[in-house]
Amino acid sequence: MLRAGVSFPVLMKLLGHTDPEMTMRYVDVALTDLQREFHQARSKPRHLAPQPKTSTAPVRAGLDGLIHSLIATQHFMQMFRRSLPNGSARNRLLRLSKRLIKILAEIRKLHTT
């Protein structure tokens, strides 16, 4: 039923289970299932931050270029951080990303003055 598209919570309800572990006893996860899910997740990521828009415009100069570069850097840092397992490296990158957000805010203030 899962392979036919029935969601796991619906399957639990149909089987009359209240505990997901009980339903998992009846689910046979084959290598083909794992491969399909992996390829689907790579082709249609649902939980990734939006990618910065790229343009064919020439490289920007001045504060606009700096802001654009910092936004791209912050995005790439977030993507790399999300690929890491939970731990000190992931937490450190989160702190650095937050610092970049603050730096961007300060640079934008310079831009408006």
Side-chain angles (χ1 to χ4, degrees):
M1 291 182 82
L2 287 172
R3 287 186 188 100
V6 175
S7 70
F8 190 81
V10 170
L11 181 59
M12 276 181 55
K13 189 88 162 175
L14 287 171
L15 294 174
H17 298 158
T18 56
D19 184 9
E21 289 182 23
M22 179 58 109
T23 306
M24 284 302 295
R25 291 180 185 177
Y26 295 95
V27 175
D28 177 36
V29 179
L31 181 59
T32 55
D33 298 324
L34 295 173
Q35 290 171 337
R36 182 189 68 245
E37 291 293 324
F38 174 78
H39 291 297
Q40 183 179 1
R42 290 205 34 139
S43 68
K44 298 177 186 176
R46 295 180 287 184
H47 304 293
L48 297 179
Q51 298 210 3
K53 295 179 180 161
T54 57
S55 66
T56 56
V59 176
R60 299 176 189 173
L63 285 177
D64 283 337
L66 180 59
I67 290 170
H68 184 319
S69 296
L70 287 173
I71 289 170
T73 301
Q74 200 266 343
H75 169 76
F76 292 127
M77 188 181 293
Q78 282 286 30
M79 292 296 96
F80 179 67
R81 183 185 70 81
R82 290 179 182 184
S83 71
L84 296 175
N86 289 335
S88 63
R90 186 175 174 145
N91 292 336
R92 193 173 309 137
L93 281 173
L94 177 61
R95 285 193 305 272
L96 288 171
S97 180
K98 288 180 180 182
R99 287 183 194 169
L100 267 180
I101 291 170
K102 291 177 182 177
I103 291 168
L104 271 165
E106 291 299 317
I107 290 175
R108 285 184 173 126
K109 288 178 190 175
L110 287 172
H111 191 11
T112 58
T113 57

